Amino acid sequence: MNTAEIISKLPYSKPFLFVDELVSINENGVVGNYTFDANLDFYKGHFKDNPVTPGVILTEVMAQIGVVCLGIFLLNNKINKNTLIALTSNEIEFLKPVYPNEKVTVISEKIYFRFGKLKCKVKMLNAKNEEVCSGTIAGIIKI
């Protein structure tokens, strides 16, 4: 399965699709990118006159690239329209702000995948290669 096929199987659409490209993917992890469009609605109020990407959105980007894309890859062609995907836990530390129009890179390493549960160590880097947040995210994929 190529990276375009993986992205097409994501259960999200604009404006809640936070994956632009997958740079690399294998059974142990994934690297992908997303650029935050300055016109996204949440920038209008977070924060007034000084827009910053909310932490919950940064977590979602890491989950979509680092867990869901990897899970789709690991399950290969078993994913279908009835597949259920749910976040089960996350522990993220936020280190730097991410601003409108910034491109970020998510790097995810599989900790384990068993009984439909995928847990990954994830980190997000900005264009300067600085770590902006990191931690662990786990989710369940039920076919």
Side-chain angles (χ1 to χ4, degrees):
M1 178 179 315
N2 68 40
T3 59
E5 290 173 315
I6 293 168
I7 293 171
S8 75
K9 290 183 182 281
L10 287 168
Y12 318 106
S13 62
K14 297 276 183 189
F16 208 75
L17 175 63
F18 298 115
V19 182
D20 288 337
E21 70 171 333
L22 299 177
V23 177
S24 66
I25 192 165
N26 62 44
E27 64 277 353
N28 296 310
V30 60
V31 176
N33 298 316
Y34 180 72
T35 301
F36 289 96
D37 186 318
N39 296 314
L40 290 166
D41 275 347
F42 54 77
Y43 286 128
K44 294 175 186 169
H46 192 266
F47 292 94
K48 198 186 304 184
D49 301 323
N50 187 27
V52 176
T53 309
V56 68
I57 300 295
L58 298 178
T59 302
E60 182 65 27
V61 173
M62 290 191 296
Q64 286 188 20
I65 294 172
V67 179
V68 182
C69 286
L70 183 57
I72 290 169
F73 174 82
L74 293 172
L75 290 170
N76 202 350
N77 290 320
K78 296 176 186 167
I79 299 290
N80 61 52
K81 66 180 181 167
N82 297 319
T83 301
L84 301 174
I85 299 173
L87 177 72
T88 59
S89 64
N90 71 78
E91 185 176 328
I92 305 297
E93 184 173 348
F94 301 97
L95 306 168
K96 292 186 174 290
V98 174
Y99 299 103
N101 296 318
E102 268 197 83
K103 180 178 181 178
V104 295
T105 299
V106 173
I107 302 166
S108 175
E109 297 174 31
K110 179 180 72 177
I111 297 172
Y112 66 79
F113 182 48
R114 60 180 174 263
F115 306 113
K117 184 170 183 178
L118 176 59
K119 184 173 184 178
C120 297
K121 177 181 167 188
V122 293
K123 68 180 174 181
M124 180 182 286
L125 306 175
N126 62 19
K128 296 177 186 173
N129 215 32
E130 300 168 321
E131 190 171 304
V132 296
C133 51
S134 63
T136 59
I137 300 177
I140 290 180
I141 300 176
K142 184 174 169 96
I143 299 173

